[in-house]
Amino acid sequence: MRVEFRFCPACGQRLTPRELEGRSLPACPDCEFVAWPDPKVAVALVAHDHGRVLVIRRGIQPGRGEWALPGGYLDASESPQEGARRECLEETHCDVEVEGLACIYHTRVEGGGLLVLAYSGHLVGGEAAPTEEAPELRWFEADRVPELIFSSHREALETWRASRQGAL
Ligand SMILES: [Zn+2]
């Protein structure tokens, strides 16, 4: 859900429409604040260990009960690599060293856009254990991963698999 600003979060003044770059955006008449419609940013991780990939069954919406990669929304204070590692640790108790970007995925959602930064990384510690966000999790052989609910996760997995085959 997108939050619609009606008052300036900096000074409290009521926002009024302002023409900017050919469109009307809510802006503060008293200070510099403009409610630019930034996308939401999420991260996902292809966590792998000896050719197997860590997949979770989601415990929360969206996609509750479906298979997915570990991931979630990025916090403003962390880098996307830190966010991917944190989400994986929180959801699965597996600690992963992030290697590199698997893909950047963009989609339009109601009220704006969603940008998913998907990384790959290998297991360096911890042991997979169920959590509220991931009540079931399993390591699958890379070519036996079940259908993932999010197209961003499917693309990340495909890209990672392709890059891995290229490296052999
Ligand atoms: Zn203001």
Side-chain angles (χ1 to χ4, degrees):
M1 186 194 78
R2 171 165 293 277
V3 174
E4 297 282 352
F5 283 108
R6 288 188 295 141
F7 294 93
C8 178
C11 74
Q13 182 60 264
R14 181 177 283 277
L15 301 180
T16 55
R18 188 186 303 170
E19 288 296 319
L20 282 161
E21 298 180 3
R23 57 188 170 161
S24 178
L25 293 171
C28 180
D30 287 354
C31 77
E32 297 297 306
F33 179 80
V34 176
W36 291 100
D38 300 323
K40 290 286 286 180
V41 181
V43 290
L45 191 65
V46 180
H48 59 93
D49 183 42
H50 295 94
R52 295 178 309 156
V53 176
L54 182 60
V55 179
I56 69 167
R57 205 184 272 285
R58 288 178 59 83
I60 56 172
Q61 298 291 7
R64 185 174 182 176
E66 305 288 343
W67 293 111
L69 299 175
Y73 288 112
L74 184 65
D75 193 86
S77 67
E78 62 191 355
S79 74
Q81 292 91 337
E82 289 166 348
R85 185 175 195 163
R86 173 187 56 76
E87 285 287 351
C88 186
L89 195 58
E90 284 177 2
E91 292 179 352
T92 72
H93 295 121
C94 287
D95 192 16
V96 165
E97 186 174 315
V98 174
E99 293 156 346
L101 193 64
C103 78
I104 296 175
Y105 182 91
H106 175 260
T107 187
R108 284 170 227 285
V109 293
E110 192 183 338
L114 173 68
L115 199 60
V116 182
L117 307 177
Y119 290 84
S120 66
H122 60 274
L123 183 72
V124 291
E127 200 166 309
T131 63
E132 191 182 337
E133 287 179 280
E136 184 184 345
L137 30 77
R138 280 172 65 183
W139 290 96
F140 287 96
E141 294 297 329
D143 56 359
R144 298 263 170 93
V145 174
E147 179 80 356
L148 304 175
I149 183 69
F150 301 128
S151 45
S152 55
H153 292 189
R154 295 197 294 272
E155 185 173 318
L157 182 65
E158 280 311 311
T159 309
W160 174 75
R161 280 199 291 225
S163 70
R164 203 163 148 265
Q165 280 159 3
L168 291 175

